[in-house]
């Protein structure tokens, strides 16, 4: 690969990561081919339709499908003859029945791509993978690629957040590339020249560091959330205000206030599975104790969900059978329709399993939640959800829920009882209006 000649970029895998990366590369001026093995996905993306919710992304995809700069295909041979740089952005979900990362898709995509490539090219892994993967795949690529064609591999982890995926990809806070060769780093400098022109920090390193940066970042974020949630358990026991505590320690710039929001904890397609995969990988390396603290973080996180269910039982006198409970929010966070490992959905299912008549409302998540748990009662509006409710539980902090006031709900609910599992409402306001109002990290004693 020569510098300054990159025109054609392919992105293998068109999920959150791949679809976003493909659209953003087109926005940066490259010709882009998005590749997937699922023909239906390719058809809908080619029409500019996205199978998931991500603000700003459908518009960007349509813009570049229309401009002709962005196309989608299932044909790897075409891609192999065309692309200068190929990004691998397929998923690494948690193994079925295990805690490690399922590498099936990354392995298959890399092997097929290496076999299909018929001109000099750079393969760039973006997926979150166990440390050691890039070195293994580099050898695989060498083995599988055609004679006379120079194909090398680099690792370039992605830090995008769902809900801000386009912004995070176009304006990353840092770029990390792991390469075995300075020439490959130079190619990536070219690819990302726009961001580099804005002085985006550029961290060029080896494969292992690049892989570890990603899992270390997610492990740190998960730890930060579980750290404050562990203090929630303390303030629930002795009193105190968890939000004030977070504000106060957050003023210390060494600590920082972000990711210290106490509540029902983290979920989604990344943090939970990444901390489990990291522990598993480090265990495989013989370092059984090293990441054991992450197991504690996982447990603290899951106990928050228990706490919400326990509060519901406490408020409803231990008898959930037939009680109408409105669950507000089943996506793992706002601005997403992702319900993977969602705390809100987990809580809803557990309340339902205890016999409650659960009315679920989420502005974007009902469809995906219903695919997983069709028996829950899904409704199309906040009003429907809270009508005749014996208890309202706020589990995802959508703006629509954060703006709620007691006066909004009082004409509708059967009983003035509320659990704010994201600590986003004012306890004094709701208690002042005569509500039994519980939050996480606060003593709740009036039952
Ligand atoms: C995360 C990382 O932030 C991102 O860099 C990485 O690329 C992928 O994983 P994402 O899964 O989109 O991104 O979600 P994030 O915004 O990190 O939130 C994760 C979970 O933590 C959510 O369930 C959220 O509700 C929860 N959370 C977040 C808290 O409970 N408290 C907080 O203070 C912050």
């Amino acid at each position: 690969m020569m510098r300054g000649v990159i025109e054609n970029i392919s992105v293998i895998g068109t999920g959150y990561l791949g679809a976003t990366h493909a659209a953003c590369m087109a926005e940066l001026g490259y010709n882009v081919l998005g590749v997937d093995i699922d023909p239906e996905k390719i058809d809908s993306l080619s029409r500019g339709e996205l199978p998931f919710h991500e603000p700003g992304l459908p518009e960007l995809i349509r813009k570049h499908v229309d401009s002709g700069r962005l196309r989608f295909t299932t044909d790897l041979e075409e891609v192999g003859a065309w692309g200068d740089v190929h990004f691998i952005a397929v998923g690494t979900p948690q193994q079925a029945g295990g805690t490690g990362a399922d590498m099936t898709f990354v392995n298959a995509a890399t092997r097929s791509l290496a076999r299909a490539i018929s001109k000099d090219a750079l393969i760039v892994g973006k997926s979150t993978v166990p440390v050691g993967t890039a070195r293994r795949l580099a050898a695989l690529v060498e083995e599988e690629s055609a004679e006379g064609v120079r194909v090398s591999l680099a690792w370039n982890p992605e830090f995008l957040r769902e809900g801000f995926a386009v912004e995070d990809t176009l304006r990353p806070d840092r770029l990390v590339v792991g390469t075995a060769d300075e020439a490959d780093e130079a190619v990536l400098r070219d690819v990302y020249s726009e961001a580099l022109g804005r002085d985006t920090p550029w961290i060029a390193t080896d494969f292992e560091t690049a892989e570890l940066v990603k899992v270390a970042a997610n492990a740190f974020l998960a730890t930060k959330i579980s750290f404050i949630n562990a203090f929630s358990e303390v303030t629930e026991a002795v009193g105190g205000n968890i939000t004030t505590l977070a504000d106060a320690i957050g003023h210390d710039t060494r600590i920082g206030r972000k990711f210290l929001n106490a509540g029902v904890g983290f979920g989604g397609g990344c943090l939970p599975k990444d901390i489990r995969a990291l522990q598993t990988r480090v265990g495989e390396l013989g370092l059984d104790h090293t990441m054991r603290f992450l197991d504690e973080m996982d447990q603290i996180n899951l106990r928050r969900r228990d706490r919400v269910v326990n509060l519901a039982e406490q408020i409803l006198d231990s008898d959930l059978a037939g009680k109408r409970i409105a669950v507000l929010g089943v996506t793992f966070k706002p601005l997403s329709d992702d319900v993977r490992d969602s705390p809100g959905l987990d809580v809803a299912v557990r309340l339902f399993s205890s016999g409650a008549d659960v009315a679920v409302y989420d502005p974007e998540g009902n469809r995906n939640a219903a695919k997983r748990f069709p028996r829950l009662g899904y409704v199309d509006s906040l009003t429907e959800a809270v009508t005749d409710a014996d208890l309202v539980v706020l589990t995802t902090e959508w703006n629509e829920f954060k703006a709620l006031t007691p006066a909004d709900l009082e004409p509708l609910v059967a009983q003035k009882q509320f659990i704010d599992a994201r600590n986003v409402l004012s306890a004094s306001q709701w208690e002042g209006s005569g509500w039994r109002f519980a939050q996480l990290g606060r003593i709740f004693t009036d039952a």
Side-chain angles (χ1 to χ4, degrees):
M1 277 301 320
M2 281 172 57
R3 295 192 61 181
V5 295
I6 295 144
E7 291 178 352
N8 299 340
I9 289 184
S10 89
V11 182
I12 322 290
T14 57
Y16 273 108
L17 172 58
T20 308
H21 197 66
C24 290
M25 289 294 111
E27 178 73 5
L28 293 180
Y30 298 106
N31 301 315
V32 181
L33 259 179
V35 192
D36 209 287
I37 48 173
D38 178 349
E40 262 178 51
K41 230 187 211 178
I42 291 302
D43 278 353
S44 57
L45 284 166
S46 302
R47 290 192 303 271
E49 289 163 19
L50 262 189
F52 53 85
H53 177 80
E54 183 59 45
L57 186 55
E59 294 79 0
L60 200 63
I61 289 183
R62 277 195 288 275
K63 174 177 165 192
H64 292 296
V65 166
D66 290 348
S67 76
R69 225 185 272 158
L70 175 60
R71 291 184 297 127
F72 294 93
T73 181
T74 54
D75 182 359
L76 258 193
E77 296 300 321
E78 179 191 359
V79 171
W82 175 89
D84 302 310
V85 175
H86 305 275
F87 285 96
I88 298 206
V90 296
T92 51
Q94 188 168 325
Q95 271 166 356
T99 48
D102 180 347
M103 297 301 292
T104 317
F105 307 114
V106 170
N107 293 343
T110 310
R111 187 187 299 274
S112 318
L113 178 64
R115 284 181 184 166
I117 287 177
S118 52
K119 67 183 255 200
D120 291 0
L122 178 64
I123 300 179
V124 186
K126 278 200 107 43
S127 311
T128 302
V129 293
V131 62
T133 300
R135 201 161 289 281
R136 176 173 62 76
L137 293 179
L140 179 77
V141 165
E142 206 177 314
E143 229 170 76
E144 298 286 350
S145 51
E147 245 173 74
V149 180
R150 186 184 183 277
V151 187
S152 47
L153 183 107
W155 216 261
N156 167 221
E158 180 57 54
F159 305 101
L160 65 79
R161 298 160 297 167
E162 290 184 20
F164 302 91
V166 172
E167 176 66 17
D168 286 351
T169 307
L170 288 176
R171 277 168 283 280
D173 50 16
R174 80 286 210 191
L175 285 158
V176 178
V177 299
T179 58
D181 185 319
E182 274 178 22
D184 296 337
E185 186 205 326
V187 169
L188 283 166
R189 275 186 177 273
D190 258 14
V191 169
Y192 290 120
S193 53
E194 214 230 32
L196 289 176
R198 267 180 281 114
D199 288 336
T200 306
W202 176 259
I203 295 118
T205 183
D206 49 69
F207 287 152
E208 288 75 17
T209 308
E211 293 167 324
L212 284 170
V213 168
K214 173 61 197 250
V215 287
N218 277 359
F220 192 84
L221 294 173
T223 301
K224 217 173 163 188
I225 299 168
S226 281
F227 179 90
I228 198 68
N229 281 337
F231 274 89
S232 268
E233 293 187 358
V234 179
T235 53
E236 275 157 17
V238 300
N241 184 316
I242 194 68
T243 307
T244 308
L245 173 65
D247 291 343
I249 62 172
H251 280 301
D252 184 331
T253 52
R254 294 170 303 176
I255 296 173
R257 179 62 177 82
K258 288 181 183 161
F259 272 66
L260 282 181
N261 293 324
V264 68
F266 59 80
C270 292
L271 298 194
K273 68 122 174 138
D274 286 352
I275 59 170
R276 292 169 199 152
L278 175 57
Q279 280 180 87
T280 307
R281 179 64 186 137
V282 166
E284 282 167 12
L285 298 169
L287 305 169
D288 294 320
H289 304 294
T290 307
M291 293 289 162
R292 197 181 268 175
F293 73 97
L294 288 178
D295 191 41
E296 274 304 319
M297 300 307 137
D298 206 0
Q299 297 309 318
I300 292 164
N301 191 53
L302 296 175
R303 281 205 300 273
R304 293 290 76 198
R305 303 175 187 190
D306 300 342
R307 171 70 181 166
V308 178
V309 173
N310 293 343
L311 278 169
E313 285 165 352
Q314 193 181 335
I315 291 170
L316 296 171
D317 302 325
S318 300
D319 183 16
L320 299 189
K323 297 282 167 51
R324 184 159 173 92
I325 303 180
V327 175
L328 304 183
V330 285
T331 52
F332 81 107
K333 68 173 191 182
L335 300 179
S336 167
D337 65 355
D338 195 342
V339 301
R340 286 177 292 173
D341 213 335
S342 159
L345 185 54
D346 195 10
V347 165
V349 168
R350 288 166 63 176
L351 296 173
F352 173 79
S353 305
S354 301
D357 169 15
V358 173
V360 170
Y361 170 64
D362 188 288
E364 297 290 342
N366 278 15
R367 201 169 51 94
N368 283 338
K371 279 190 217 155
R372 282 173 194 237
F373 297 102
R375 290 173 61 213
L376 296 181
Y378 296 95
V379 296
D380 293 329
S381 69
L382 175 59
T383 305
E384 258 181 280
V386 299
T387 298
D388 297 331
D390 297 302
L391 172 66
V392 178
V393 187
L394 188 166
T395 35
T396 313
E397 69 278 30
W398 288 96
N399 280 340
E400 194 181 340
F401 306 152
K402 281 161 75 173
L404 279 175
T405 64
D408 294 331
L409 298 193
E410 278 162 19
L412 301 168
V413 296
Q415 299 194 65
K416 297 202 299 188
Q417 311 195 109
F418 201 114
I419 301 173
D420 170 13
R422 289 288 180 181
N423 295 354
V424 287
L425 300 177
S426 155
S428 56
Q429 185 190 19
W430 288 75
E431 283 169 352
S433 301
W435 284 66
R436 292 176 76 199
F437 186 82
Q439 284 177 317
L440 298 190
R442 273 179 90 225
I443 291 181
F444 183 76
T445 49
D446 80 336

